[in-house]
């Protein structure tokens, strides 16, 4: 009952006219930066951070957190309509969401993504409210060895769900890990593969790579068949509403995505990205028709989008209770709290209850605002596809250029985006899946740091990866998946050889 009492106090803070306005501004701006390619929650929060300096602490945190989960909502829009991820966690949504759009089913994809996001986000807030203190303690047990094993597990899962062959997927993962080594050594600060240029000290911009590999390459591929591209038929209300079969097929993925996203929110680093890949892998393995994935399976949209937004609540737990930002976007919230004299940690709930409970209450309100704002706009978004591609492509390209430049203000990133656009075009022409490459780039730095820290702690003893229950679980899962993948490849290779031998005997 105490929790309900404190939550009601939080609503008394969140429902004041000023805080309602700040919440609305936050979710609106978050949706915009999520939709625009190149601008994710980190950039969106950074741009408006100076505007919060004169606000009261509760209002400032409410507005910035609204931008955070609003951007998570909006990131699916361009992924589904244009195959351009609005932010990193929307990469998986591109796979089946864009295929649904090409089939004239962008409306159901957007609706299911919005509903799944609302459910995942709301349930994660309930978890944040009920389980923040005990669950935050579990974070302290995830050491560098367990973290490395988890990220290695994510790459193995990626190799199993990729749309390209295992060999091609592994080559993309290795290329991504190599690209992640460019820049300053994360531990010693030594410059690697920068060729003496300061421009590469921070490595390649992930946003530039993502926009190039997905956005620019898609434009180049479409220009090849521009004569056959026709504007989408004007959507009717009936075509925008998901069918009963869509809702039935989405119910299970939304439920599982909520659990996966909430659990992965505690993992520091890139939890929202990993959770989407894991959700996609789970749905593909559980599906009765896994061959539909990559060709417009609605479960491939519902699960990852729900998991993406389910992390928004749980990743707040390490920040609020331990003072540890689980993902880069929450580091902005940490900065804002420090600026306003609010110290995140075990004493936050006792010393600043109006901030803690006001934030939780505002997240309920903000998620409802996002659902009300996004569902009526589905028809508007789908109508974007009716614009002839000869006019749409230059606009998309311009938005990509402006988006990437606004994030870093480096002209070099525009050329990096163009270079990776050409690379993505070539790779996709030869049926390489570029999503594993991006995931490997995202995980590369943290994998290296976790591996080296674990070995420093153990004085070079690799047995540290088998110490502790969490590490043992992850390592066991890695061994099991590797054996399953190896057996599948081996038996698949033998079957292929047998078929070829039979055909040869017939000649």
């Amino acid at each position: 009952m105490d929790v309900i009492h404190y939550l009601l106090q939080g609503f008394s803070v969140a429902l004041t006219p000023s805080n309602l306005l700040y919440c609305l501004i936050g979710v609106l701006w978050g949706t915009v930066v999520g939709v625009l390619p190149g601008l994710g929650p980190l950039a969106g929060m950074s741009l408006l951070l100076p505007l919060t300096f004169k606000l009261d602490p509760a209002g400032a945190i409410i507005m910035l957190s609204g931008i955070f989960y609003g951007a998570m909502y909006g990131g699916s829009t361009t992924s589904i309509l244009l195959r351009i991820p609005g932010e990193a966690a929307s990469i998986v949504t591109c796979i089946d969401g864009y295929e649904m759009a090409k089939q004239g089913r962008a409306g159901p994809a957007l609706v299911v993504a919005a509903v799944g996001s609302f459910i995942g986000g709301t349930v994660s807030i309930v978890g944040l409210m009920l389980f923040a203190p005990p669950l935050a303690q579990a974070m302290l047990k995830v050491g560098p060895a367990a973290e490395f094993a988890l990220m290695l597990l994510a790459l193995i899962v990626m190799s199993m769900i990729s749309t390209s062959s295992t060999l091609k997927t592994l080559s993309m993962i290795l290329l991504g890990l190599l690209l992640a080594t460019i820049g300053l050594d994360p531990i010693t600060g030594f410059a690697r593969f920068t060729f003496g240029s300061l421009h590469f000290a921070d490595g390649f911009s992930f946003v530039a790579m993502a926009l190039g590999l997905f956005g620019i390459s898609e434009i180049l591929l479409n220009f090849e068949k521009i004569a056959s591209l026709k504007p989408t038929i004007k959507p009717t209300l009936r075509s925008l509403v998901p069918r009963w079969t869509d809702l039935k097929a989405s119910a299970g993925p939304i439920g599982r995505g909520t659990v996966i996203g909430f659990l992965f929110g505690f993992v520091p680093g890139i939890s929202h990205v990993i959770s989407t890949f894991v959700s996609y892998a789970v749905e593909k393995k559980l599906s009765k028709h896994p061959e539909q994935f990559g060709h417009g399976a609605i479960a491939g949209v519902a699960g990852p989008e729900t998991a993406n937004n389910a992390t928004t609540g749980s990743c707040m737990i390490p920040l609020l209770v331990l003072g540890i930002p689980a993902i880069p976007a929450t580091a902005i919230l940490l900065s804002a709290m420090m600026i306003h004299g609010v110290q995140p940690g075990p004493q936050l709930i006792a010393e600043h209850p109006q901030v803690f409970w006001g934030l939780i209450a505002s997240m309920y309100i903000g998620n409802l605002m996002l659902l009300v704002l996004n569902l009526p706009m589905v028809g508007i978004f789908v109508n974007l596809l009716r614009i002839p591609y000869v006019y749409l492509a230059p606009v998309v390209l311009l938005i990509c250029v402006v988006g990437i430049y606004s994030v870093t203000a480096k002209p070099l990133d525009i050329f990096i985006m163009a270079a990776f656009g050409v690379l993505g075009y070539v790779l996709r022409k030869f049926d390489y899946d570029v999503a594993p490459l991006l995931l490997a780039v995202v995980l590369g730095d943290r994998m290296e740091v976790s591996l080296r820290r674990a070995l420093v702690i153990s004085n070079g003893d690799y047995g540290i990866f088998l110490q502790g229950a969490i590490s043992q679980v992850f390592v066991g899962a890695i061994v099991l998946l590797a054996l399953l993948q190896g057996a599948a490849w081996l038996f698949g290779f033998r079957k292929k050889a047998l078929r070829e031998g039979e055909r040869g005997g017939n000649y």
Side-chain angles (χ1 to χ4, degrees):
M1 295 301 293
D2 288 341
V3 172
I4 296 176
H5 172 69
Y6 290 134
L7 182 62
L8 291 176
Q9 288 185 340
F11 274 108
S12 69
V13 174
L15 289 174
T16 60
S18 59
N19 286 339
L20 277 176
L21 177 61
Y22 298 146
C23 184
L24 180 61
I25 292 173
V27 297
L28 272 175
W29 176 243
T31 302
V32 170
V33 299
V35 170
L36 292 177
L39 293 177
L42 184 61
M45 295 167 72
S46 300
L47 290 172
L48 290 196
L49 178 62
L51 300 182
T52 66
F53 291 165
K54 294 187 178 181
L55 303 181
D56 64 280
I61 303 307
I62 285 172
M63 188 169 81
L64 288 173
S65 62
I67 298 172
F68 172 44
Y69 54 81
M72 294 293 194
Y73 253 75
S76 63
T77 302
T78 49
S79 297
I80 292 171
L81 298 180
L82 303 172
R83 206 177 189 269
I84 300 175
E87 45 95 22
S90 298
I91 292 172
V92 182
T93 310
C94 292
I95 300 172
D96 284 281
Y98 183 65
E99 290 298 320
M100 290 184 66
K102 290 199 298 184
Q103 297 166 14
R105 305 191 61 230
L110 289 168
V111 170
V112 167
V115 172
S117 297
F118 173 74
I119 294 174
T122 303
V123 173
S124 73
I125 299 167
V126 175
L128 167 63
M129 177 181 68
L130 296 177
F131 307 115
L135 288 178
Q137 296 303 316
M139 273 285 300
L140 297 175
K141 299 180 181 179
V142 181
E147 189 177 10
F148 173 79
L150 171 64
M151 288 183 279
L152 183 58
L153 176 63
L155 291 180
I156 293 177
V157 169
M158 184 69 245
S159 70
M160 299 179 70
I161 67 171
S162 175
T163 56
S164 58
S165 67
T166 303
L167 187 60
K168 289 182 177 180
T169 302
L170 291 176
S171 66
M172 289 293 94
I173 290 175
L174 290 175
L175 178 59
L177 293 176
L178 287 173
L179 290 174
T181 62
I182 296 175
L184 298 180
D185 186 301
I187 293 181
T188 66
F190 183 78
R192 303 179 302 189
F193 308 113
T194 61
F195 301 100
S197 173
L198 293 177
H199 294 296
F200 297 117
D202 295 327
F204 289 141
S205 166
F206 173 80
V207 178
M209 294 176 61
L211 291 181
L213 290 171
F214 280 90
I216 306 302
S217 67
E218 185 66 30
I219 292 174
L220 293 175
L221 287 170
N222 283 333
F223 272 134
E224 284 188 352
K225 49 186 178 181
I226 196 167
S228 61
L229 291 175
K230 298 178 180 179
T232 304
I233 299 172
K234 184 177 180 179
T236 61
L237 179 62
R238 184 182 182 88
S239 68
L240 295 177
V241 178
R243 300 188 293 259
W244 170 248
T245 53
D246 293 330
L247 297 177
K248 185 177 179 181
S250 302
I254 287 175
R256 289 184 288 270
T258 300
V259 175
I260 291 171
F262 184 78
L263 294 177
F264 273 84
F266 301 107
V267 181
I270 30 62
S271 53
H272 58 311
V273 179
I274 294 181
S275 66
T276 58
F277 280 93
V278 172
S279 174
Y280 190 87
V282 169
E283 297 311 320
K284 188 173 181 180
K285 290 298 178 184
L286 294 179
S287 175
K288 296 180 180 177
H289 303 283
E291 71 280 356
Q292 294 179 358
F293 281 74
H295 302 284
I298 198 165
V301 176
E305 275 303 308
T306 304
N308 176 21
N309 287 271
T311 61
T312 58
S314 55
C315 74
M316 290 283 194
I317 295 175
L319 171 69
L320 298 176
V321 181
L322 297 177
I324 300 173
I327 62 176
T330 55
I332 301 296
L333 285 176
L334 176 62
S335 302
M337 288 181 173
M338 301 289 286
I339 289 170
H340 286 278
V342 177
Q343 180 63 52
Q347 300 301 315
L348 173 65
I349 300 176
E351 295 178 356
H352 302 280
Q354 75 282 3
V355 174
F356 181 81
W357 293 106
L359 171 61
I360 289 178
S362 74
M363 291 177 73
Y364 281 111
I365 298 169
N367 271 278
L368 185 59
M369 284 181 177
L370 283 168
L371 187 66
V372 174
L373 287 171
N374 278 269
L375 285 182
M377 295 178 68
V378 167
I380 298 174
F381 289 143
V382 173
N383 271 296
L384 292 175
L385 295 177
R386 299 179 61 217
I387 302 174
Y389 202 76
V390 290
Y391 304 122
L392 183 62
V395 174
V396 172
L397 184 60
L398 178 63
I399 292 175
C400 289
V401 172
V402 172
I404 184 59
Y405 187 78
S406 64
V407 173
T408 60
K410 295 180 181 178
L412 178 65
D413 284 345
I414 298 175
F415 293 100
I416 292 175
M417 179 181 69
F420 276 95
V422 175
L423 176 63
Y425 168 76
V426 174
L427 290 174
R428 291 173 62 187
K429 289 287 286 184
F430 287 94
D431 297 324
Y432 281 83
D433 187 358
V434 294
L437 189 155
L438 280 179
L439 178 64
V441 171
V442 173
L443 298 180
D445 282 344
R446 296 196 64 86
M447 285 185 70
E448 180 184 1
V449 171
S450 299
L451 174 63
R452 292 168 66 178
R453 283 179 177 171
L455 293 177
V456 168
I457 292 172
S458 65
N459 292 321
D461 182 10
Y462 285 88
I464 190 173
F465 295 103
L466 297 176
Q467 297 175 9
I470 298 177
S471 290
Q472 290 171 358
V473 169
F474 289 150
V475 171
I478 290 170
V479 173
L480 179 61
L481 287 178
L483 290 174
L484 290 175
Q485 187 77 338
W489 179 85
L490 182 61
F491 287 113
F493 178 79
R494 287 181 174 177
K495 289 179 181 178
K496 182 179 178 182
L498 182 60
R499 287 195 301 267
E500 291 178 350
E502 289 175 350
R503 286 199 299 266
N506 294 331
Y507 293 132

